[in-house]
């Protein structure tokens, strides 16, 4: 009877799967009982109650308001805010720099492509954390005192106390002006051509002339409103700088490291995308009399984008995950806050679970979106 | 009758079409755009000159007096002074020939394994024996060698051993996960997808936290795994998830007919997987596998965050010596250069392999 059952393939199949599932469940149960026993014997209380107690530790910088009497949950939110802030900035700058690097590697100019190639090889083959520590060391030990600040660009000062860059200040009228200007830009670049096409006005303006009209209008508005200056420049007064924005050494090192490291990878992705477009496309565009740059941006890049976007998303995701390395230079993003809370309260399990849950939800939602997007793009392919 | 000449082409006919060599001056300053590029590139190199000056002309290469390093140049004398510390950490100085031998073993085994012709089960056995020998050398406690606990291991051997062990332990795990993900049974597929996606969705720092802080809470109290072992576990799990995805790509590339043909011949299922599918799949993904190896070598540096004394930690704590004027930058450049040599070496090797595969394909 039993051997007959064993010869039945469907039975064997299900029996194997059930066994595997049971093994997994018992592993989880075993871990659970271990944990409960360990926590009880060490007298650690697990639960979310601690989240509502005051945190009592400082956070050196944050984009959300924070002070040490705020509860722990708010400290986590502040850390998350910093993580998001750093991620968005790093991704934006790295994409721009990566585009430059990728195009430079493909340029016919031997010096430019050699520089870009060296840059990519250096950055990709050294761990990010070494680079972060290097920039941090530079910013905290090699930069001069404010009095002898290095001034590589007008309005940018590198000092031991941080990097000073021009800031901007918005009064109520300034805010009005900036929002009007942004609205105008959107109208000029997107809305006007669309209206033109919809209503068949027959007015054809190149992007360049639209933009010049826009700049003219903005400058008229500027002189008409007679505003206060929008920018404040850092100035040396006494022993330190006033005005402008001060970027801390931690922030500067983290941004430099992340942007430079990521841009090398993005540059390679973009170069790969350009290489993936067949040579015939270049030749056909040339035969039609398009210029090199027109070919690149109107023929090659749109086709390359399909190859570029999936690895680019992966790269963006790993950049978000890489922000946790800020721990090494002491910038207070979520990972550092989690580390601090563990040190202060011993609520390790809850804190680590929060960290894991945040990153898992970001990663999984992006990868679901990418699967959906890939399926859509795949349908469009003829 | 038309006569088609089938004479073999002469050498001149077989030569590639002549390439028009653009004169250098035209390349650099031919039109406005390339002139702008040239100026920008030269300007960029020019602005790097002070850094070059710092690293060479102003640098202090040899000195017994750390005070000389305060002049403003790079302090390479510091690296020379601390070389043993950065490479071997706090391993007992009189025993440092052991980690040196370990590095030599790794280097020698790698050199032997480079040509694809050398790959065989014998070589695999050789590697397993070599790794066992390395661990035995590091620990000691026999044949007159004193016992050195993992807490005193440090520097380059730790970095290399972590990379080597995590990759080799992760590989079989990754094969199982990849096969599970491609399986048509629900339970193994679900388990593999879940574990791969969860691990890939997490930053390695998170996993290292779990391993170093949470793991002791999850296991029975009698199980004591030291810090190095716990970080190795985290690195292994991380590598397994990424390797599994690479291997899955290879499995997808094996034509379905291969498995079907084998089934038609009545070959048992495990033999089909082991002898027919897997060898083809893995051969297809050797270049991306070397990429994962580079990623893992770089990732071992993260163990600094949980306090394992790898090469980077050694470099950092060497620079805190108050006798020297905080030469952190030099220390990180040195450590970075070693990582660069390893990783760039692997990527050159992978390119060489890929060329070999291509030339075999087109023959």
């Amino acid at each position: 009877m039993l051997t007959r059952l064993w010869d039945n393939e469907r039975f064997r199949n299900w029996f194997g799967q059930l066994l595997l599932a049971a093994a997994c469940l018992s592993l989880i149960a075993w871990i659970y009982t271990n944990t409960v026993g360990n926590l009880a014997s060490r007298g650690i209380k697990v639960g979310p109650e601690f989240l509502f107690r005051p945190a009592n530790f400082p956070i050196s910088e944050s984009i959300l308001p924070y002070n040490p009497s705020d509860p722990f949950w708010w400290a986590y939110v502040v850390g998350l805010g910093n993580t998001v802030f750093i991620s968005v900035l790093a991704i934006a700058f790295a994409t721009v720099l990566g585009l430059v690097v990728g195009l430079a590697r493909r340029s016919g100019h031997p010096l430019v492509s050699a520089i870009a190639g060296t840059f990519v090889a250096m950055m990709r083959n050294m761990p990010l954390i070494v680079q972060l520590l290097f920039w941090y060391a530079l910013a905290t030990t090699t930069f001069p005192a404010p009095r002898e600040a290095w001034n590589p660009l007008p309005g940018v000062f590198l000092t031991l106390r941080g990097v000073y860059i021009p800031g901007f200040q918005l009064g109520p009228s300034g805010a009005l002006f900036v929002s009007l200007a942004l609205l105008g830009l959107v109208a000029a670049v997107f809305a006007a051509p669309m209206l033109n096409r919809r209503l068949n006005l027959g007015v054809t303006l190149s992007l360049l002339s639209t933009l010049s009209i826009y700049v003219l209008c903005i400058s008229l508005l500027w002189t008409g409103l007679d505003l206060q200056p929008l920018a404040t420049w850092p100035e040396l007064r006494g022993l330190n700088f006033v005005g402008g924005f001060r970027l801390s050494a931690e922030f500067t090192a983290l941004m430099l490291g992340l942007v430079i490291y990521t841009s090398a990878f993005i540059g390679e992705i973009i170069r790969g995308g350009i290489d993936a477009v067949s040579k015939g496309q270049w030749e056909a565009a040339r035969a039609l009399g398009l210029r090199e740059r027109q070919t690149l941006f109107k023929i090659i890049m749109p086709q390359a984008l399909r190859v570029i976007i999936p690895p680019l998303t992966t790269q963006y995701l790993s950049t978000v995950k890489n922000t946790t390395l800020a721990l090494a230079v002491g910038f207070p993003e979520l990972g550092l806050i989690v580390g601090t809370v563990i040190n202060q309260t011993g609520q390790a399990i809850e804190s680590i679970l929060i960290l894991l849950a945040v990153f898992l939800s970001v990663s999984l939602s992006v990868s679901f979106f990418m699967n959906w997007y890939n399926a859509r793009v795949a349908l469009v392919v003829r | 009758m038309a006569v088609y000449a089938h004479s073999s082409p002469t050498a001149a006919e077989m030569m590639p079409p002549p390439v028009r060599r653009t004169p250098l001056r035209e390349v650099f300053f031919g039109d406005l755009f390339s002139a702008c590029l040239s100026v920008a590139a030269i300007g960029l190199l020019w602005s790097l000159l002070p850094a070059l000056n710092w690293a060479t002309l102003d640098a202090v290469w040899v000195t017994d007096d750390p005070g000389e390093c305060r002049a403003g140049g790079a302090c390479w004398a510091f690296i020379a002074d601390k070389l043993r510390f950065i490479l071997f950490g706090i391993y007992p100085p009189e025993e440092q020939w052991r980690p040196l031998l370990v590095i030599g073993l790794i280097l020698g085994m790698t050199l032997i394994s480079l040509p694809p012709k050398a790959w065989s089960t014998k070589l695999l056995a050789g590697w397993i024996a070599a790794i066992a020998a390395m661990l035995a050398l590091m620990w000691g406690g026999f044949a007159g060698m004193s016992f050195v606990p993992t807490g005193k291991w440090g520097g380059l051997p730790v970095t290399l051993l972590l990379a080597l062990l995590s990759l080799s332990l992760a590989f079989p795990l990754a094969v199982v996960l990849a096969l599970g993900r491609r399986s048509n049974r629900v339970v193994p597929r679900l388990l593999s997808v879940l574990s791969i996606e969860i691990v890939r969705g997490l930053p390695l720092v998170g996993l290292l936290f779990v391993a170093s802080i949470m793991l002791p809470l999850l296991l029975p109290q009698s199980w004591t795994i030291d810090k190095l072992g716990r970080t190795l576990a985290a690195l292994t799990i991380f590598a397994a998830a990424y390797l599994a995805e690479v291997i899955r790509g290879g499995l997808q590339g094996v034509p379905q007919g291969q498995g079907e043909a084998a089934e038609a011949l009545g070959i048992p299922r495990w033999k089909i997987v082991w002898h027919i599918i897997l060898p083809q799949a893995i051969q297809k993904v050797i270049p991306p596998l070397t990429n994962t190896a580079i990623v893992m070598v770089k990732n071992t540096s993260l163990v600094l965050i949980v306090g394992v004394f790898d090469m980077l930690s050694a470099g950092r704590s060497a620079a805190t010596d108050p006798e020297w004027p905080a030469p952190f930058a030099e220390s990180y450049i040195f450590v970075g250069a070693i990582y660069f040599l390893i990783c760039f070496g692997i990527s050159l090797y992978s390119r060489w392999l890929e060329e070999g595969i291509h030339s075999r394909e087109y023959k």
Side-chain angles (χ1 to χ4, degrees), chain B residues 61-136:
Chain B
W61 293 90
V62 191
T63 181
D64 293 325
D65 172 24
E68 274 183 48
C69 275
R70 293 183 195 279
C75 185
W76 302 123
F78 158 80
I79 300 291
D81 190 51
K82 295 280 182 191
L83 189 63
R84 281 180 78 158
F85 184 77
I86 296 176
L87 288 185
F88 304 123
I90 49 172
Y91 206 87
E94 66 281 3
E95 299 282 338
Q96 283 180 359
W97 58 272
R98 283 154 56 180
L100 189 66
L101 200 58
V102 167
I103 296 175
L105 257 176
I106 293 179
L107 213 64
M109 284 305 287
T110 312
L111 283 179
I112 294 175
S113 323
L114 285 183
K117 273 183 200 156
W119 300 345
S120 61
T121 31
K122 234 187 241 169
L123 187 70
L124 188 66
W127 267 107
I128 294 173
I131 289 177
M134 289 171 205
L135 291 176

Side-chain angles (χ1 to χ4, degrees), chain A residues 54-169:
Chain A
N56 285 331
F57 63 82
I59 294 179
S60 59
E61 55 187 308
S62 64
I63 54 160
L64 298 172
Y66 173 84
N67 76 67
S69 59
D70 286 333
F72 278 108
W73 69 266
W74 183 247
Y76 283 129
V77 173
V78 168
L80 183 60
N82 279 351
T83 297
V84 172
F85 178 61
I86 282 283
S87 306
V88 170
L89 274 188
I91 284 175
F93 283 123
T95 306
V96 175
L97 189 58
L99 186 66
V100 173
V101 171
L103 293 180
R105 283 210 69 183
R106 267 284 145 266
S107 103
H109 197 290
L111 192 58
V112 171
S113 57
I115 292 177
T118 316
F119 171 79
V120 168
M122 298 253 294
M123 294 307 145
R124 277 165 55 102
N125 288 307
M126 275 191 252
L128 173 58
I129 191 164
V130 176
Q131 299 189 29
L132 288 176
L133 285 173
F134 172 76
W135 293 118
Y136 188 60
L138 220 57
T140 49
T141 62
T142 315
F143 282 3
R147 283 190 160 216
E148 292 105 38
W150 290 340
N151 191 357
L153 295 167
V156 178
F157 295 92
L158 310 178
T159 76
L160 266 181
R161 294 200 189 161
V163 172
Y164 291 84
I165 57 168
F168 50 86
Q169 52 182 24

Side-chain angles (χ1 to χ4, degrees), chain A residues 12 24 31 51 75 114 119 194 200 229 235 243 265 315 317 324 329 337 339 343 349 362 365-366:
Chain A
R12 227 166 28 177
C24 255
I31 289 176
L51 285 175
F119 171 79
M194 217 166 73
N200 270 330
E235 269 176 84
F265 284 84
Q315 188 55 50
L317 266 183
T324 47
V329 295
I337 305 282
N343 276 339
I349 291 188
V362 173
S365 48
V366 171

Side-chain angles (χ1 to χ4, degrees), chain A residues 10-34:
Chain A
R10 268 183 67 192
F11 168 77
R12 227 166 28 177
N13 189 346
W14 279 107
F15 186 71
Q17 294 200 47
L18 271 178
L19 214 62
L20 188 61
C24 255
L25 286 179
S26 43
L27 181 71
I28 292 173
W30 180 71
I31 289 176
Y32 180 77
T33 41
N34 283 338

Side-chain angles (χ1 to χ4, degrees), chain B residues 191-208:
Chain B
L191 286 176
S192 315
V193 170
L194 267 182
S195 38
I196 292 174
E197 290 303 325
I198 287 178
V199 172
R200 273 163 39 95
L202 296 175
L204 180 54
V205 173
L207 279 178
L208 285 170

Side-chain angles (χ1 to χ4, degrees), chain B residues 142-354:
Chain B
F142 64 93
M145 292 190 285
S146 61
F147 174 73
V148 180
T150 57
K152 286 202 166 174
W153 297 12
L156 186 58
V158 167
T159 296
L160 291 177
L161 279 176
L162 278 177
L164 197 61
L165 283 174
S166 65
L167 279 168
S168 40
L169 292 177
F171 194 79
L173 206 58
V175 170
V176 172
L177 283 174
L179 287 174
R181 197 168 182 168
R182 296 270 297 162
S183 158
N184 44 19
R185 318 264 163 87
V186 182
V187 178
R189 195 173 59 224
L190 197 70
L191 286 176
S192 315
V193 170
L194 267 182
S195 38
I196 292 174
E197 290 303 325
I198 287 178
V199 172
R200 273 163 39 95
L202 296 175
L204 180 54
V205 173
L207 279 178
L208 285 170
F209 270 164
V210 171
S212 68
I213 303 171
M214 258 169 86
L215 203 59
L217 291 175
L218 305 184
L219 297 175
Q221 269 180 343
S222 52
W223 295 28
T224 47
I225 308 176
D226 62 8
K227 208 193 268 171
L228 197 66
R230 294 200 301 260
T231 40
L232 179 62
L235 287 171
T236 304
I237 289 171
F238 188 79
Y242 282 82
L243 285 175
E245 284 298 274
V246 174
I247 295 171
R248 180 171 74 117
L251 289 175
Q252 275 170 349
V254 178
Q256 248 188 337
Q258 294 284 328
E260 286 164 2
E263 231 167 295
L265 289 174
I267 302 174
R269 195 169 290 153
W270 70 270
K271 269 191 177 171
I272 299 179
V273 171
W274 188 250
H275 289 299
I276 295 171
I277 310 280
L278 268 181
Q280 296 189 58
I282 289 170
Q283 202 176 15
K284 275 188 203 308
V285 290
I286 287 171
L289 282 178
T290 52
N291 263 341
T292 314
I294 295 179
V295 170
M296 284 315 290
V297 169
K298 291 196 292 176
N299 274 339
T300 55
S301 57
L302 295 197
V303 300
L304 163 131
I305 285 174
V306 290
V308 169
F309 210 67
D310 73 328
M311 183 172 53
L312 181 59
S313 316
R316 182 163 74 166
S317 61
T320 50
D321 184 347
E323 260 189 43
W324 296 88
F328 285 98
E330 291 88 334
S331 193
Y332 295 139
I333 288 175
F334 178 71
V335 171
I338 293 180
Y339 277 111
F340 177 81
L341 285 182
I342 299 172
C343 297
F344 194 61
I346 301 177
S347 74
L348 285 183
Y349 173 63
S350 132
R351 216 173 298 166
W352 175 76
L353 269 186
E354 226 169 325

